[in-house]
Amino acid sequence: MTKPFSVREVLLRVQAVLRRASSSGEATPATVVFGRLRIDYTAHRTWVDDQEISLTALEMRLLWTLYQRRGRVQSRGTLLDDVWDADPEEQHRTVDTHVKRLREKRAQPATMSRPCAGVGYHLRAEPWARS
C-alpha cells in the first residue's frame, strides 16, 4: 500500500483479509447443483443442462461467490473487493462485463438479475426449473 493512505482503506483491506482467512477453513462441497446449473468448484468445471461450459478463473470465482451468497444482493463494490481484490471505490464496469459474459455462456439461465438499477447483482435463493 502506498503512502498516503486513508484509515478507511486500511480497515477495508484488513476486513477483506480476515474475511478470506475465515472462509478458507470451511469445507467446500465437491459439486453443487442449483436448478439447471451444476458447479464443481475444485475441478473448475460447470454444466448447464448436462452440457459443460468453459469459464475463466474470474468468471468461476464470480459465479461461486454469487452462489455462496444466493438470495442476497451483492453490490459492485463488494464483488470488486471479494472477487477481484480491487478497490471498491473505483467505479468501472468490470463486474457488469463479467456478468454479461456469464449470461452469454448460459452459466446463469434465468437466475441472475439486477434487482435495482445501479445496486448490484444476486443469485435467486431458489432456482427456476426452466427459463
Side-chain angles (χ1 to χ4, degrees):
M1 203 159 50
T2 60
K3 293 181 184 177
F5 52 84
S6 70
V7 174
R8 178 168 161 53
E9 182 178 355
V10 172
L11 289 175
L12 287 172
R13 288 184 183 216
V14 168
Q15 288 172 350
V17 169
L18 290 174
R19 188 173 44 247
R20 286 191 299 266
S22 67
S23 67
S24 64
E26 297 174 2
T28 303
T31 303
V32 295
V33 177
F34 188 71
R36 298 168 44 203
L37 181 67
R38 187 169 41 130
I39 307 168
D40 185 346
Y41 187 72
T42 55
H44 190 86
R45 297 176 73 187
T46 307
W47 298 265
V48 175
D49 295 332
D50 295 326
Q51 181 180 5
E52 188 169 3
I53 57 172
S54 176
L55 298 179
T56 66
L58 279 172
E59 290 167 345
M60 179 62 87
R61 281 201 317 242
L62 175 61
L63 179 62
W64 189 251
T65 300
L66 290 170
Y67 171 76
Q68 288 181 316
R69 300 171 186 175
R70 62 195 174 277
R72 295 177 290 178
V73 176
Q74 300 298 305
S75 70
R76 286 182 186 93
T78 301
L79 291 171
L80 279 170
D81 184 38
D82 296 344
V83 176
W84 283 266
D85 291 328
D87 183 8
E89 298 299 320
E90 294 178 17
Q91 294 298 320
H92 51 79
R93 299 302 224 187
T94 301
V95 176
D96 298 337
T97 303
H98 281 80
V99 168
K100 179 183 173 193
R101 288 183 188 154
L102 279 175
R103 286 179 173 158
E104 288 171 354
K105 292 181 177 184
R106 295 182 40 90
Q108 285 307 314
T111 54
M112 190 181 301
S113 67
R114 175 182 279 164
C116 297
V119 174
Y121 296 95
H122 79 287
L123 200 62
R124 298 183 198 285
E126 296 296 324
W128 290 356
R130 288 283 171 196
S131 59

